[in-house]
Amino acid sequence: MATGLHSCLLHHGEEHPLLGPAILRSPSYTSINVQDDHVSDSNGEDDDDHQPQPHLHLPFLNIDQKMLTEMVRDKDYERLLQFGGIKQLLSVLETDDKAGINGTEADLLHRRDVFGSNEYRQPPKKAFFRFVLEAFNDTIIIILMGCAILSLGFGIKQHGVGDGWYDGGSIVIAIFLVIIVSSVSNFRQSRQFQKLSSETSDIKVQVVRQGRRQPVSIFQLVVGDIVCLNIGDQVPGDGVLVEGHSLKVDESSMTGESDHVEIHEKDNPFLFSGTKISDGFGTMVVTSVGMNTAWGEMMSSIRRELDEQTPLQARLDKLASSIGKLGLAIALIVLVVLLVRYFTGNTVGDDGKKEFNGSKTNMDKVMDSVVRIVSAAVTIVVVAIPEGLPLAVTLTLAYSMKRMMADQAMVRKLSACETMGSATTICTDKTGTLTLNKMKVVEFWLGKEVMEDDTYLGIAPTVLQLLQQGVGLNTTGSVCNLPSTSVPEITGSPTEVAILTWAVVDLGMNIDEQKQRCEILHVEAFNSEKKRSGVLARRVSDRAIQTHWKGAAEMILAMCSHYFDKGGLTKVMDDDTRMQFGGIIEDMAAKSLRCIAFAYKQVPQENGQSHESLEETGMTLLGLIGLKDPCRPGVRRAVKECKEAGVKIKMITGDNIFTARAIAMECGILKLDEDLNNAVVEGVTFRNYSDEERMEKIEMIRVTARSSPFDKLLMVQSLKQKGHVVAVTSDGTNDAPALKEADIGLSMGIQGTEVAKESSDIVILNDNFTSVVTVLRWGRCVYNNIQKFIQFQLTVNVAALSINFVAAVSAGDVPLTAIQLLWVNLIMDTLGALALATKRPTNDLLKKPPVGRTKPLISNVMWRNLLAQAFYQVAVLLILQFKGMDIFKVDEKDKNTLIFNTFVLCQVFNEFNARHMEKNNVF
């Protein structure tokens, strides 16, 4: 059979080797087309039935998505080889390993039509009717419905259908409105949480399309996309590794195994959607998206419930339950007292005669009186139960979440809203949070000489070439030369972008040339513990092997035994020279510059054969650069506001101690008159303290430099032991334990990794420390608003309970009926709660000390206001109850109407009083 004319038919259900790059499908069999040439069968005759015409191009229509999915899911490396390897797979998916897919609208649409979109089927949304049923199942509602039916029945029996339905019917209408208000509120909150859930899932993915690296929404990802992966990224779809270095993946979300899996081109190039990159970097080609991935199947069966009960809601439920039990006890006492008074003949009717006169009393009248007494007791229960408290908290939290989103803070966990108001310490990163994260190389030292713009031309060619190699090969960023513009498009982390921009503009580096001239043998990826990255590369021209390191200046300096001068001469680095370089690094750090060093070493051929590790001694220093990352505007003021609010700020950074100190001074975290020896420590010193020493010094520490993720975790644990409520800001993958350990984890929305975001409670969308202060302000506002409503609600309850109890025991009747109190509660729990719950935060909130862990929910000021207001209301209402008829010359009905109107007006003014708890004059 002639080469290029092979075809193979694979019947479904049979296991046959896959022999080619494109899997073609038909209803009864799958045909595999090895070549794009015109195909003939073994007799040389054209097979027009099953082969496409040579010039008819119908991309993907015959690719079997199921086989692609199974290949990755089963980690079937043999099947990948049968495809023809990764190169043939890329060819089948019409993608280039460097330039990616075409990426036009038509191309993207076609790929989605064939392979599906990267979205999961969501579980069915909870219908509004379900919320209505849940509201009906509330114990209080059931009790009230029972009372309404009894009231309706006895009312109709006593007064007839025309007049007897008023009380019972009104209670039914009030209950119906309570249910509707509660259902609508919960339904809207549920929809808001679902919207939030989709927003938290909408992460940005770095893909290569038309030769450009660009961020796209994870939902816009298509099969064939080349995705760039770095530490902390979430794998956005199932796929196969194209190229990678030291790549490790955390597959615990899929397999439950905690050990990180090594991914490499040989044996195991398969990546699962939903897993996290724990080390290294690389690129992958997407083979399955959405419901065709194992993650998609799993996620479609999970309903993410964000409307969890917060600690404050739990406390309020407990409070409401306690008050309800108290009300029930008082109602029972009233019931017993009234029944005893009635059946002992101590009550008189409207005609002035005894209501109960033994067996002479008509049974219908006895039943009417008993129902009236039971109704009075039930009224007391209705009054006592503050069912509006949980609803008020829900309204406050839902409103705050919506407003915080507009203020650049996305709440992932409801409890964080209220906990943030209690924060006493904030542990913050430096880069991107306190600073702009817009770095620029402002200093370059070659040897002991600082290089100015006009002296770059004097650099020796050998040194220039080594510097270009050190930057171009040892980077996770990319440089794209667009035909439409003369300025190259540089992407990557802010540090990488700054270094690449400097190399391209000042050193004249062409990154593509550097990568063509050298073959990369091994890569040591950067992470926050090592604070350096390295690459082992072989030059194509002479097969010479070189090691290049880049990283924190003092760490790279410790690896060096020689250095280059401007003229290209290699000089020995003795102790005096090393101290001089140390002084240069300190001077740059004192100017708030991040100092990065480059070093290289020529590796003997015999030692470079394993290619599994990089030389770390005997390096030659190529140069030092200083990167300026200016402080964010307004950060100094934000730090000052936190201090005035009684919240301590601690900066934990990976920079050296001099840079950290300079930035802390610039931001206002440190003052010149402070004892800097105790205020600034290095991570290694902090972690080597004894437990007693650490607990003694932790209050004084303001800045931790050269800290590792473990140091941050240790700081959080120590502060919590001291009784602090700790908030932590972070963007790194390795900081996930500290974010989880903290009372409030705040991750960065722009620079933060997906691992950090998932571990956090709140995402700061603009990476700005001033937004952290805004979150603090909102947290206090939430707590304050809830306290206001508690004061308002409990005052009403105490006043109504007292007046009804005293009146019931003394007069045998209650002036405030169940229906009246239900209507008051209905308005109070909705409009009253909204009025207090939706107050925006003010700067006055930051003038108070933090609440902390142990302060009671009802403060002394609240007790003062509550008792004073309740005493005033009870006194006025009791005067009206016992002397109202004489004072105003009215009958019993008018007196009760007077009491009710006075009670309502008291609550209107009580609402004003609750607006400012500390102030005597609320206006």
Side-chain angles (χ1 to χ4, degrees), residues 810-823:
S810 60
D813 204 356
V814 288
L816 299 171
T817 64
I819 185 61
Q820 288 174 335
L821 290 169
L822 269 176
W823 280 98

Side-chain angles (χ1 to χ4, degrees), residues 462-696:
T462 52
V463 178
L464 189 64
Q465 188 180 6
L466 286 169
L467 275 168
Q468 289 176 347
Q469 284 177 5
V471 174
L473 301 177
N474 187 11
T475 183
T476 56
S478 66
V479 179
C480 179
N481 293 298
L482 301 171
S484 57
T485 175
S486 59
V487 180
E489 187 178 76
I490 299 173
T491 54
S493 70
T495 307
E496 292 288 359
V497 168
I499 294 170
L500 286 170
T501 302
W502 166 72
V504 170
V505 175
D506 294 342
L507 301 183
M509 179 191 75
N510 185 320
I511 196 167
D512 295 327
E513 280 183 15
Q514 297 302 327
K515 290 185 175 181
Q516 286 165 10
R517 288 175 183 170
C518 297
E519 176 195 354
I520 294 175
L521 304 175
H522 185 68
V523 172
E524 287 276 346
F526 178 89
N527 67 40
S528 53
E529 288 181 16
K530 295 182 289 188
K531 303 199 187 301
R532 63 177 189 262
S533 63
V535 63
L536 187 70
R538 181 191 286 125
R539 278 206 304 262
V540 175
S541 57
D542 57 5
R543 311 297 288 169
I545 296 175
Q546 297 171 337
T547 298
H548 283 276
W549 282 104
K550 171 186 76 181
E554 64 268 30
M555 295 193 173
I556 299 295
L557 186 66
M559 298 161 66
C560 295
S561 58
H562 296 78
Y563 69 96
F564 276 117
D565 67 5
K566 180 183 172 184
L569 296 174
T570 307
K571 296 186 177 180
V572 175
M573 190 182 293
D574 55 25
D575 291 340
D576 288 340
T577 309
R578 194 178 296 276
M579 284 183 68
Q580 284 178 296
F581 279 117
I584 291 169
I585 294 167
E586 285 183 23
D587 287 343
M588 279 201 274
K591 291 184 275 189
S592 306
L593 300 184
R594 171 179 282 189
C595 197
I596 289 175
F598 298 91
Y600 112 106
K601 183 178 183 179
Q602 192 85 14
V603 181
Q605 286 285 353
E606 62 270 22
N607 293 337
Q609 295 306 309
S610 66
H611 311 326
E612 289 179 1
S613 61
L614 275 65
E615 291 278 350
E616 296 187 9
T617 56
M619 308 297 294
T620 302
L621 185 69
L622 288 171
L624 300 164
I625 58 170
L627 291 92
K628 180 70 175 174
D629 186 11
C631 276
R632 284 184 178 274
V635 78
R636 191 177 180 88
R637 183 183 165 196
V639 169
K640 186 183 175 187
E641 285 178 346
C642 283
K643 287 184 173 180
E644 287 174 353
V647 179
K648 295 177 180 175
I649 307 293
K650 297 186 188 295
M651 186 175 89
I652 304 172
T653 178
D655 282 337
N656 71 38
I657 198 164
F658 303 103
T659 307
R661 185 185 293 163
I663 291 286
M665 289 277 193
E666 204 175 327
C667 294
I669 294 170
L670 289 177
K671 293 180 181 176
L672 287 169
D673 56 354
E674 275 190 274
D675 177 11
L676 297 183
N677 291 326
N678 287 321
V680 185
V681 296
E682 285 195 319
V684 65
T685 309
F686 179 71
R687 80 180 77 110
N688 288 331
Y689 283 149
S690 65
D691 289 343
E692 295 77 14
E693 207 175 358
R694 193 180 301 113
M695 295 302 282
E696 182 189 334

